[in-house]
Amino acid sequence: MKITRRGFGILAGGAVVAETLLGNWPMLAQPAAGEAADADKLAAMSLTEVSEMVHNKTITSTQLVKALLDRINVYNPKVNCYVTVMAKEALAQAAQLDAEQKANKFRGPLHGIPIALKDNIDTAGTRTTAASPMFKDRVPTEDADIVRRLKGAGAIILGKLNLHEFALGCTGDISYFGPTRNPWSLEYVTGGSSAGSGAAVSAALVYGALGTDTGGSIRCPSAWCGIVGLKPTVGLVSIRGIIPCTADLDHCGPMARTVEDVALMLGQMTGYDSLDIFSVPSTPEDYVKAMKQPVSSFRLGTPQSFYDHLDPEIDKAVKAALEVLTKLTAGVTSSAPLWDGSPGAGTGDADFYHHDLIEKYGLNYMPPTRARFEKLENPPPGTKVPTAADAARAHQKLMTTRRMIDSSFKDFDLVVVPTTRLLAPKINDSLAVEAKGGGFGGGAGGAAGGKVYDWFAPGGGCMNTSPFDAYGVPAISLPCGFTESGMPIGLMIAGPHFTEGKVLALAYAYQQATQWHKKQPPLTAETVVPPIIESKSSPENK
């Protein structure tokens, strides 16, 4: 597909559109210097800390919302993580929850805490766009099940967060609303597809966020933005009311700045949903309590296949993390293979969902996403078109994988691997590859600096994360170091089905033994936003 100069401009410069669309929420007056410092201090606290303050009545929900809105005013134009800020609705929710606080009627640990949602999660009366021109004006009539649960638990929905269009990429730079920028360095991608979720939490523009994960979309941005993100056991959290990426592989999970925050959020997110065909019955669990269990008896595995093609700085950071974990546990073994059957994937899920959309709306996608579906709708001569039988076989393989994977955890309780094998690319480099029709964001494959970087290629963005979506087991990413240039590196811990407690416990023990989670991005009000540059590799300029 030929991408015109105008097409590439739309690909790279959608932030202008975002700014226009964000203009429908009431902007607050710029705070004075002292007020801004107070807002920054309050916003930088962890979700667990502000939850305790709400319950101790030393802070109100309205104060929390206003502090975050002040920061969003200043920093969202730089980071571009919010698609829609629900200021009016959030302040109204806060007023109601403050009245309940005053009357000692607390709904739970999330009472009065502002969180934000990836913009593929339906919200009644507020648009849910999937970061696509196709859905830019789409307003659902019902909340997703997870939104209903969180509101019932007292959480305040602060807004909707940017993502890689339709969650179909691992960089977060392909969006109708423009690329989300990494708060640690605005030149870099956040990782995707939960790009806005990773950036908003990292930049202290919200206390916690929801992401979705199909090939690594919670864990990749968590790793590259220096936060904590958990993909729970498949079916533990309902995905009804979430725009599907590949439904067989889709998960929804919490993203926050600490392991405690993620554990606290997860406890309010689980529950059987009879109207979600993927939902599974589960026993309610106190994940904060489970997180504090001893880990000295835990046996850890490091499957060698997950350590191939590592960037040297990631290799160094993960080896240092393993030294810490060796002292905390019963030890680490390097010979720990996981079940090596073909993971399989419900590849037909995304195709049939988008086939119906294309029939209704046409190919109204961003250029790289459009190229993918043009090939599906009009396959080149000689291309094998997937059939219903292919999709059924893939689904059968996937179900077999999920039945077999727990048996791999015989000689070890949990596995520990690098979250990603490569470091985050710069936005301009990523967009240049996308403009050529492949690469960084999960397209057909492309090269930048000589490195292949697609979803599943050796060394690719989701090579380490995607198997755990197929396995359907819990996996968490948390910070384990930084590069020489100051960019975060993530460590992933995973276990058998429904072992969230153990996964959280090991992550918490590592967090307590290190200081990585305490570092904050060097983002200030004076930070200059680097330009998006039209690449010379664009077809027009060849």
Side-chain angles (χ1 to χ4, degrees), residues 218-219 222-223 227-231 253-256 258 262 475-478:
I218 288 172
R219 291 159 290 152
S222 294
I227 65 168
V228 182
L230 173 69
K231 179 198 77 66
M255 301 169 71
T258 70
V262 164
I476 195 170
S477 178
L478 71 162

Side-chain angles (χ1 to χ4, degrees), residues 1 59 92 97 174 180 192 202 207 209 251 316 357 396 475 534:
M1 178 190 71
I59 199 80
L97 292 162
I174 305 302
T180 306
S202 180
Y207 294 108
H251 302 68
K316 180 180 178 181
L357 289 184
Q396 187 176 43
E534 184 171 347

Side-chain angles (χ1 to χ4, degrees), residues 249-374:
L249 302 174
D250 289 350
H251 302 68
C252 178
M255 301 169 71
R257 289 194 282 277
T258 70
V259 176
E260 303 99 298
D261 295 353
V262 164
L264 190 150
M265 289 178 68
L266 182 64
Q268 307 304 305
M269 294 172 63
T270 62
Y272 180 64
D273 177 8
S274 62
L275 298 180
D276 173 9
I277 63 170
F278 300 99
S279 184
V280 294
S282 60
T283 303
E285 185 171 354
D286 183 340
Y287 293 108
V288 175
K289 180 180 179 180
M291 175 194 75
K292 296 179 180 178
Q293 66 182 285
V295 301
S296 57
S297 65
F298 287 9
R299 302 163 302 158
L300 309 183
T302 54
Q304 184 55 48
S305 61
F306 289 84
Y307 286 79
D308 295 335
H309 308 286
L310 292 186
D311 180 277
E313 292 194 270
I314 293 177
D315 185 48
K316 180 180 178 181
V318 171
K319 284 179 178 176
L322 289 174
E323 290 180 7
V324 174
L325 290 171
T326 298
K327 296 174 183 177
L328 294 173
T329 65
V332 178
T333 174
S334 60
S335 56
L338 291 177
W339 189 67
D340 60 1
S342 172
T347 54
D349 285 355
D351 296 349
F352 88 73
Y353 177 80
H354 284 274
H355 176 75
D356 291 346
L357 289 184
I358 291 165
E359 284 195 340
K360 185 174 182 179
Y361 299 106
L363 286 160
N364 190 21
Y365 299 95
M366 298 295 289
T369 313
R370 185 188 311 138
R372 166 187 173 143
F373 289 112
E374 280 178 337

Side-chain angles (χ1 to χ4, degrees), residues 99-402:
E100 294 176 16
Q101 175 198 41
K102 190 174 182 179
N104 290 316
K105 295 180 179 179
F106 294 99
R107 302 188 189 187
L110 291 183
H111 184 103
I113 308 302
I115 66 166
L117 310 172
K118 185 175 180 179
D119 201 28
N120 61 347
I121 301 173
D122 279 353
T123 42
T126 299
R127 64 181 180 163
T128 301
T129 70
S132 178
M134 187 178 295
F135 279 178
K136 63 184 177 66
D137 299 315
R138 176 180 177 270
V139 178
T141 57
E142 295 183 2
D143 284 332
D145 181 76
I146 187 59
V147 177
R148 179 183 61 78
R149 289 179 189 273
L150 288 173
K151 284 182 177 178
I156 294 172
I157 309 302
L158 189 61
K160 309 297 291 293
L161 298 166
N162 208 352
L163 65 147
H164 203 107
E165 185 180 19
F166 277 109
L168 290 169
C170 63
T171 52
D173 53 6
I174 305 302
S175 165
Y176 178 67
F177 304 100
T180 306
R181 296 176 182 268
N182 196 310
W184 292 90
S185 177
L186 299 181
E187 290 183 287
Y188 287 82
V189 304
T190 56
S193 61
S194 305
S197 301
V201 171
S202 180
L205 303 185
V206 77
Y207 294 108
L210 296 195
T212 61
D213 197 307
T214 305
S217 291
I218 288 172
R219 291 159 290 152
C220 285
S222 294
W224 286 348
C225 291
I227 65 168
V228 182
L230 173 69
K231 179 198 77 66
T233 297
V234 64
L236 188 63
V237 174
S238 173
I239 60 170
R240 179 167 59 92
I242 298 176
I243 295 170
C245 178
T246 300
D248 271 352
L249 302 174
D250 289 350
H251 302 68
C252 178
M255 301 169 71
R257 289 194 282 277
T258 70
V259 176
E260 303 99 298
D261 295 353
V262 164
L264 190 150
M265 289 178 68
L266 182 64
Q268 307 304 305
M269 294 172 63
T270 62
Y272 180 64
D273 177 8
S274 62
L275 298 180
D276 173 9
I277 63 170
F278 300 99
S279 184
V280 294
S282 60
T283 303
E285 185 171 354
D286 183 340
Y287 293 108
V288 175
K289 180 180 179 180
M291 175 194 75
K292 296 179 180 178
Q293 66 182 285
V295 301
S296 57
S297 65
F298 287 9
R299 302 163 302 158
L300 309 183
T302 54
Q304 184 55 48
S305 61
F306 289 84
Y307 286 79
D308 295 335
H309 308 286
L310 292 186
D311 180 277
E313 292 194 270
I314 293 177
D315 185 48
K316 180 180 178 181
V318 171
K319 284 179 178 176
L322 289 174
E323 290 180 7
V324 174
L325 290 171
T326 298
K327 296 174 183 177
L328 294 173
T329 65
V332 178
T333 174
S334 60
S335 56
L338 291 177
W339 189 67
D340 60 1
S342 172
T347 54
D349 285 355
D351 296 349
F352 88 73
Y353 177 80
H354 284 274
H355 176 75
D356 291 346
L357 289 184
I358 291 165
E359 284 195 340
K360 185 174 182 179
Y361 299 106
L363 286 160
N364 190 21
Y365 299 95
M366 298 295 289
T369 313
R370 185 188 311 138
R372 166 187 173 143
F373 289 112
E374 280 178 337
K375 292 176 183 177
L376 287 174
E377 293 296 304
N378 299 289
T383 302
K384 184 182 183 303
V385 179
T387 64
D390 293 329
R393 279 190 288 269
H395 180 78
Q396 187 176 43
K397 285 183 180 179
L398 181 66
M399 294 301 103
T400 302
T401 297
R402 290 179 175 170

